[in-house]
Amino acid sequence: MGVTYKYFGAPDGATAARVPVTMRPEELGGDELGMGGMFSKIKPETVAAMVLTGIEGIPLHKVPPLELVVLHPDYAVVKLPMTVVDPLRGIGEESVGAAAFIWSTVPDRGGPRDAFNVYQLLHEWQDFSHRLHEAGHQPYCLVWP
């Protein structure tokens, strides 16, 4: 079994910490977490690195750490830095495509990812970034084993 990541927005850490303890990812709609979220198998650290290195040109060792909000035996909630989602709102197709190509050449545990899949993922994150901004929320990730 793999880990499931549920990305969501919340106005603050206290709100983000009030996640359902017993609900499984397939039962979690997202609205009770402040907004419709996104499910992914991609770790928040990877998403942060993808945006900051591929779009912002920040060296990988300068990517800021995630902030732990809740550590529970059954789940964890982490806060992503706003620097991970903010850059996505202002970029165009060319930048998304270039970032996708750059990131597709970076090997991960499963080998390099297809550039088109990364491109689609970045577009999902771009939409998520716009929704967060419009709601005045910060990005969080709920992690289940």
Side-chain angles (χ1 to χ4, degrees):
M1 295 207 24
V3 175
T4 300
Y5 304 99
K6 166 77 175 195
Y7 293 94
F8 65 96
D12 53 51
T15 303
R18 290 191 300 268
V19 294
V21 178
T22 59
M23 296 184 88
R24 301 308 305 161
E26 60 275 3
E27 299 169 323
L28 193 59
D31 291 337
E32 68 278 8
L33 297 178
M35 65 182 301
M38 297 189 319
F39 286 117
S40 180
K41 290 288 186 185
I42 300 175
K43 296 188 295 187
E45 307 90 281
T46 302
V47 172
M50 187 185 306
V51 170
L52 294 175
T53 60
I55 294 172
E56 294 290 287
I58 294 173
L60 198 54
H61 69 280
K62 297 262 188 194
V63 173
L66 306 175
E67 179 184 323
L68 184 64
V69 176
V70 174
L71 180 58
H72 185 276
D74 298 326
Y75 67 93
V77 176
V78 295
K79 178 183 177 190
L80 284 77
M82 287 304 288
T83 54
V84 173
V85 291
D86 282 347
L88 290 167
R89 286 199 323 273
I91 63 170
E93 285 296 309
E94 191 173 303
S95 295
V96 173
F101 176 76
I102 290 166
W103 195 257
S104 73
T105 65
V106 176
D108 59 23
R109 284 188 214 161
R113 295 180 56 90
D114 177 78
F116 184 70
N117 290 341
V118 177
Y119 175 81
Q120 289 178 311
L121 175 74
L122 285 172
H123 267 293
E124 288 176 30
W125 270 89
Q126 200 171 35
D127 293 342
F128 183 57
S129 175
H130 285 291
R131 292 195 315 266
L132 282 175
H133 181 72
E134 289 164 11
H137 288 176
Q138 300 170 32
Y140 293 90
C141 183
L142 175 60
V143 182
W144 281 276

